[in-house]
Amino acid sequence: MAHTQEVAGSSPAPTTCLFSIGQIQMKFEDGIKLDFEDVLIRPKRSTLSSRSGVNIEKVYNYLHASVQEAVVPIVAANMDTVGTMAMAEKLGPEGMQTCLHKYYNVAELVDFFTEKPRLGTFFTIGVKQDDVDKLLTVDDMLPEMDKCGLGIHKICIDVANGYQKVFVDHVKRCREFFPDAVIMAGNVCTPEMVSELLISGGADIVKIGIGPGSVCTTRMVTGCGYPQLSAIIECADAAHGLNGHICADGGCRMPGDVVKAFAAGADFVMLGGMLAGTDECEGDWEYEGWINTHIGRVQIGTSLNPDKKKSLKFYGMSSEDAMEAHNGGVGTYRTSEGKSESVAYKGSVMDVIQEITGGLRSACAYVGARSLKDFPKCATFIRTNRVHY
Ligand code: 5GP
């Protein structure tokens, strides 16, 4: 069901207008677009006596996949540091989701999906034929999913720019191969493309976010993008009108941002940077005093104290570091749209998750929502005139 998200003080539906600058007319979209730091959620009188009573599990029915499930809709991003099998192992039993990164080989994937049911794990592919071939190969080697719960139940089709027609065709082709799987596809940031991916592509969930990621430089390099809170509000409205879902991807730096994404209407929220630096990540760790040295992904040196992690090298999947690791460098026709940073060690991912779920429960209590399902209906944003962090 479509719902309208309230933003106190902001203008309603966007309109494109012609704006004259001297003799020249330029197209401008009217109405301000907002990001997480532009708003807060207004506390309201509530009959809830305790935040512990708030239910943050939600039941999902999908537009195309014949699945009904109850999940906690937090998703680990399909980045090679964060979308790991160890992450899926940890988040799965909590009812949370992981989009595996694309760089596991066939044998690793077959082992992983054969070991036990992986209902919360997305098999991630891009748009290359090799990706589809790998998916089909792994799928062929697995038991049929209906019979024992094993197999590939969820597919994430990820591309930096989901606006190309070939992408919609690609998603449609994957839907033909996997009529019963939950398919998440993106990224886009505007309602018309959400509708196209849901209806023409056959996606169940559309991934929303162009430019908000913590290690993304798309806005700086290309000048393109869309403030993430507005993108979520507008895309959720389009998706819900079609019984589809969206996954807000990127830009959450702290639990309050995850809360705002759900308040804005996100059905799922995907996290990269917030989960980076936890024990469940893969990659180049720096240890107290010593560093592991690598050539590509092959380690050639050892650390003195492997139990004392200090920081993790976390990089965007379009960064020079990622292209160096996976594509043999940056191609001549493209430029990097990601950066690298060092993130401090955070311990178990469950410590981070507990902060997020604690924030969510508390936010529901502040606005009188008994469950995450009710939260967007209960939430009213207020626009703030300064950064409040
Ligand atoms: P975060 O939670 O770290 O703010 O955002 C994670 C998301 O950033 C990912 O799921 C992905 O959509 C996006 N992302 C990851 N790497 C890159 C990159 O190199 N360039 C761009 N433009 N986006 C990236």
Side-chain angles (χ1 to χ4, degrees):
M1 192 176 44
H3 72 270
T4 306
Q5 190 56 51
E6 244 183 289
V7 184
S10 79
S11 49
T15 50
T16 303
C17 58
L18 288 172
F19 195 79
S20 295
I21 298 178
Q23 302 289 311
I24 305 164
Q25 287 198 319
M26 288 296 298
K27 272 185 254 147
F28 275 80
E29 196 166 289
D30 212 4
I32 194 150
K33 304 295 176 192
L34 303 169
D35 237 315
F36 295 126
E37 67 262 34
D38 298 321
V39 298
L40 285 169
I41 297 164
R42 192 176 66 182
K44 286 178 187 168
R45 185 175 174 278
S46 162
T47 53
L48 270 174
S49 51
S50 162
R51 71 190 73 172
S52 63
V54 173
N55 180 11
I56 56 166
E57 204 175 61
K58 264 175 83 176
V59 176
Y60 289 82
N61 291 291
Y62 295 99
L63 178 57
H64 302 283
S66 46
V67 174
Q68 186 187 61
E69 60 178 0
V71 304
V72 178
I74 289 170
V75 188
N78 51 290
M79 300 171 76
D80 62 0
T81 42
V82 171
T84 65
M85 291 178 177
M87 191 67 78
E89 199 72 62
K90 222 22 131 24
L91 297 185
E94 305 298 319
M96 295 176 199
Q97 321 278 297
T98 299
C99 289
L100 290 182
H101 66 69
K102 287 191 309 185
Y103 305 103
Y104 289 114
N105 64 36
V106 169
E108 289 169 316
L109 288 160
V110 170
D111 277 357
F112 179 81
F113 282 101
T114 318
E115 194 191 348
K116 55 181 159 180
R118 304 285 187 181
L119 303 179
T121 305
F122 285 78
F123 189 115
T124 302
I125 60 169
V127 283
K128 294 198 179 128
Q129 186 57 42
D130 283 358
D131 293 333
V132 180
D133 292 345
K134 184 159 88 174
L135 170 61
L136 295 174
T137 305
V138 173
D139 186 56
D140 274 351
M141 295 169 78
L142 295 174
E144 264 192 50
M145 71 177 192
D146 298 354
K147 301 206 175 112
C148 50
L150 299 176
I152 298 166
H153 295 256
K154 293 182 173 166
I155 299 166
C156 170
I157 311 175
D158 181 61
V159 66
N161 171 6
Y163 278 80
Q164 290 151 334
K165 182 174 181 308
V166 286
F167 180 62
V168 181
D169 296 340
H170 177 67
V171 176
K172 186 171 176 212
R173 208 169 127 244
C174 292
R175 169 57 73 200
E176 283 159 11
F177 282 130
F178 293 90
D180 298 324
V182 175
I183 294 185
M184 171 151 68
N187 281 21
V188 298
C189 60
T190 48
E192 78 285 0
M193 213 56 207
V194 170
S195 308
E196 189 160 348
L197 282 165
L198 289 172
I199 295 168
S200 309
D204 297 296
I205 308 167
V206 180
K207 205 147 70 81
I208 307 300
I210 301 281
S214 58
V215 282
C216 162
T217 57
T218 294
R219 291 175 184 172
M220 278 74 91
V221 174
T222 70
C224 297
Y226 211 98
Q228 185 69 345
L229 187 85
S230 285
I232 297 168
I233 292 172
E234 293 168 26
C235 293
D237 190 46
H240 297 168
L242 298 166
N243 289 326
H245 297 301
I246 64 155
C247 175
D249 175 20
C252 292
R253 290 161 297 154
M254 50 196 83
D257 295 339
V258 180
V259 169
K260 289 172 190 176
F262 282 120
D267 302 289
F268 296 86
V269 177
M270 179 175 268
L271 304 173
M274 280 187 74
L275 307 186
T278 57
D279 280 321
E280 291 71 16
C281 290
E282 288 171 6
D284 285 345
W285 285 99
E286 195 178 323
Y287 295 87
E288 297 288 353
W290 292 80
I291 185 166
N292 275 344
T293 47
H294 290 75
I295 293 180
R297 297 189 70 75
V298 181
Q299 187 181 325
I300 56 159
T302 49
S303 64
L304 188 67
N305 187 354
D307 293 331
K308 218 158 182 212
K309 293 169 180 159
K310 189 175 161 201
S311 60
L312 174 76
K313 185 172 182 183
F314 177 58
Y315 50 80
M317 297 315 296
S318 303
S319 66
E320 270 183 47
D321 276 316
M323 286 191 254
E324 208 61 63
H326 304 298
N327 305 331
V330 184
T332 48
Y333 64 94
R334 61 180 297 186
T335 178
S336 137
E337 286 182 30
K339 61 182 179 182
S340 303
E341 59 184 35
S342 170
V343 294
Y345 175 57
K346 296 176 185 158
S348 166
V349 71
M350 292 322 297
D351 297 340
V352 178
I353 290 294
Q354 212 175 335
E355 281 196 18
I356 296 171
T357 53
L360 261 176
R361 286 203 172 87
S362 194
C364 286
Y366 268 118
V367 300
R370 291 185 179 279
S371 65
L372 189 54
K373 177 171 171 275
D374 293 336
F375 184 47
K377 282 178 264 171
C378 298
T380 300
F381 287 118
I382 46 170
R383 280 182 55 201
T384 53
N385 65 357
R386 64 189 166 93
V387 177
H388 45 265
Y389 302 129

